[in-house]
Amino acid sequence: MSALDIIERAGGGKRMADLKGRDLLTLHDYSPKDISAIIDLADKLKAELAERGSHMRRTLEGKSVVLYFEKQSLRTRVSFEIGVAQLGGQPVVIYSGNTHADRGEPRQDTARVLSRYAHGIVIRAYKHEDIVQTAEWADIPVINALCERAHPCQALADLMTIYEKRGRGKKTKVAYIGDANNIAASLMILLSKVGIDIALACPDGYKPEPALIAKVEGYAEAEGGSVEVVDRPVDAVKDADFVYTDVWVSMGMEEEERERREAFEGYCINNKLMKAAKSDALFMHDLPAHRGEEVSDNVIEGPRSIVFDQAENRLHAQKALLSLLIGD
Ligand code: CP
Ligand code: NVA
């Protein structure tokens, strides 16, 4: 039984999406049908692992997946490495600093060499263009594991978590407070594609690009959702089911640390701000978090925080993705 058969069974025999051989560079390329295929399988894999402690079908048996990192990682690296192994595959972790990249080996050659050994490349890079170029030269699926513009794997795990907590098909609103960075961009794309309302509060200079807003407004309109960008956190969190934030200084932006701290003053998610959301609103963060900056210690450690559920779901969502893109 293939990963798709599992979904067919879960969906009562309805074939949902064929993602075999595809890249995941940004979620713009994925339809609402593709997205629900991934989340459906992630739910099934999570339940199966909890019940049996292992998977009945090891969809990556005999396959190798290269996990290529140009930046630091805890969650992405460990969840992909363990996820590939749980599906019967072999993960190969590479840090670019230990390759010939800094000595001038071109990305085109790296992509072609890896394509001769492995069945997929999961890559975290500084520049989105470098991930696109890797995909252009590789003959195997390439998955974006974070760049300056996107973090699609995080967004998939977040959507799975949102559905777990609130169910599917209900009117749901997510408020994102802070920097309109890679996390915010992927969330905007994914949530708008499944009709979830999203409101962002960002200071001037850190709001999403107008072109991205226009695109996600189009997705939201088609799916019955909405996208709103405001200045004040208190306006974004009104009626929100989820309040989400991320670091003010992303990897690679360390030189801007001082000006960013100043710009984001007043954007910390504390108990007072959580009270302005729905009374049962939940707190989300992709992690790592900086307590006392974008979130107060008592919110992230409080009963409404679901940050570790998000982190866990990275494992399940990515295994579903790998099964559908690379698996048998
Ligand atoms: N959230 C996330 O991607 O964490 P890592 O940087 O630790 O992988
Ligand atoms: N915006 C953060 C996300 C880390 C997972 C960064 O890019 O550093």
Side-chain angles (χ1 to χ4, degrees), residues 125-145:
Y126 280 94
K127 290 198 238 129
H128 183 70
E129 271 319 303
D130 290 340
I131 297 184
V132 172
Q133 199 184 27
T134 300
E136 275 167 8
W137 287 88
D139 301 327
I140 53 180
V142 171
I143 296 174
N144 181 345

Side-chain angles (χ1 to χ4, degrees), residues 13 82 146 161 170 198 208 234 253 261 272 286 289 299 313 325:
I82 290 177
L146 182 146
T161 313
K170 283 192 209 147
I198 179 158
V234 70
M253 296 176 181
R261 274 178 207 266
K272 189 169 169 224
D286 49 289
V299 167
N313 284 338
L325 268 50

Side-chain angles (χ1 to χ4, degrees), residues 72-76 124 151 154 251 286-288 314:
Q72 303 88 326
S73 171
L74 173 70
R75 281 140 289 268
T76 307
R124 171 168 286 193
H151 197 0
Q154 179 70 49
M251 289 180 274
D286 49 289
L287 303 178
R314 295 291 304 277

Side-chain angles (χ1 to χ4, degrees), residues 272-300:
K272 189 169 169 224
L273 189 63
M274 286 301 289
K275 281 204 184 95
K278 274 192 179 161
S279 56
D280 58 352
L282 299 171
F283 171 73
M284 300 181 76
H285 193 307
D286 49 289
L287 303 178
H290 291 91
R291 289 157 170 82
E293 289 187 24
E294 75 273 11
V295 60
S296 66
D297 187 64
N298 51 14
V299 167
I300 196 167

Side-chain angles (χ1 to χ4, degrees), residues 24 26-39 149-163 174 182-198 212 215-217 219-220 223 225-227 244 284 317 321:
L24 173 55
T26 81
L27 288 161
H28 286 300
D29 308 328
Y30 278 53
S31 69
K33 211 163 132 184
D34 299 334
I35 294 160
S36 47
I38 297 165
I39 306 293
R149 278 173 42 189
H151 197 0
C153 298
Q154 179 70 49
L156 288 167
D158 294 338
L159 179 62
M160 180 182 177
T161 313
I162 288 168
Y163 284 157
V174 176
N182 44 10
I183 295 290
S186 289
L187 264 184
M188 287 171 76
I189 299 165
L190 189 60
L191 298 184
S192 60
K193 284 197 176 210
V194 297
I196 292 179
D197 297 329
I198 179 158
L212 176 63
K215 233 172 173 172
V216 298
E217 276 174 349
Y219 302 148
E223 299 301 325
S226 65
V227 182
Y244 198 128
M284 300 181 76
L321 185 66

Side-chain angles (χ1 to χ4, degrees), residues 19-276:
L19 295 172
K20 189 93 177 156
R22 294 259 304 268
D23 296 319
L24 173 55
L25 305 183
T26 81
L27 288 161
H28 286 300
D29 308 328
Y30 278 53
S31 69
K33 211 163 132 184
D34 299 334
I35 294 160
S36 47
I38 297 165
I39 306 293
D40 287 347
L41 183 57
D43 287 342
K44 272 202 82 70
L45 292 172
K46 183 173 182 174
E48 188 182 66
L49 191 68
E51 263 167 44
R52 302 180 75 245
S54 64
H55 293 299
M56 232 158 8
R57 259 200 54 83
R58 291 157 60 87
T59 50
L60 295 184
E61 193 80 62
K63 307 212 174 203
S64 305
V65 180
V66 170
L67 313 177
Y68 189 95
F69 287 89
E70 296 180 7
K71 304 192 209 187
Q72 303 88 326
S73 171
L74 173 70
R75 281 140 289 268
T76 307
R77 183 246 155 120
V78 177
S79 57
F80 265 112
E81 189 168 358
I82 290 177
V84 170
Q86 285 180 353
L87 292 172
Q90 182 194 22
V92 180
V93 181
I94 299 177
Y95 292 99
S96 60
N98 294 340
T99 68
H100 297 282
D102 295 341
R103 297 176 57 240
E105 180 158 28
R107 195 169 288 277
Q108 296 91 312
D109 291 4
T110 305
R112 284 179 288 182
V113 168
L114 295 178
S115 298
R116 298 292 177 105
Y117 304 137
H119 301 84
I121 301 172
V122 173
I123 174 169
R124 171 168 286 193
Y126 280 94
K127 290 198 238 129
H128 183 70
E129 271 319 303
D130 290 340
I131 297 184
V132 172
Q133 199 184 27
T134 300
E136 275 167 8
W137 287 88
D139 301 327
I140 53 180
V142 171
I143 296 174
N144 181 345
L146 182 146
C147 61
E148 86 289 15
R149 278 173 42 189
H151 197 0
C153 298
Q154 179 70 49
L156 288 167
D158 294 338
L159 179 62
M160 180 182 177
T161 313
I162 288 168
Y163 284 157
E164 280 177 353
K165 303 294 177 191
R166 287 286 191 261
R168 296 197 205 189
K170 283 192 209 147
K171 201 70 191 146
T172 303
K173 176 178 172 181
V174 176
Y176 178 93
I177 312 299
D179 187 17
N181 58 15
N182 44 10
I183 295 290
S186 289
L187 264 184
M188 287 171 76
I189 299 165
L190 189 60
L191 298 184
S192 60
K193 284 197 176 210
V194 297
I196 292 179
D197 297 329
I198 179 158
L200 296 97
C202 321
D204 282 340
Y206 300 93
K207 289 187 164 61
E209 285 168 19
L212 176 63
I213 298 175
K215 233 172 173 172
V216 298
E217 276 174 349
Y219 302 148
E221 200 175 321
E223 299 301 325
S226 65
V227 182
E228 197 188 352
V229 181
V230 298
D231 293 313
R232 298 193 320 157
V234 70
D235 295 330
V237 302
K238 188 171 180 296
D239 298 325
D241 300 280
F242 298 90
V243 180
Y244 198 128
T245 192
D246 183 28
V247 292
W248 294 340
V249 185
S250 287
M251 289 180 274
M253 296 176 181
E254 290 76 10
E255 281 177 11
E256 300 171 22
E257 188 166 338
R258 228 172 109 180
E259 64 199 75
R260 282 176 167 266
R261 274 178 207 266
E262 277 169 26
F264 289 108
E265 217 188 301
Y267 285 75
C268 175
I269 298 184
N270 51 27
N271 276 328
K272 189 169 169 224
L273 189 63
M274 286 301 289
K275 281 204 184 95

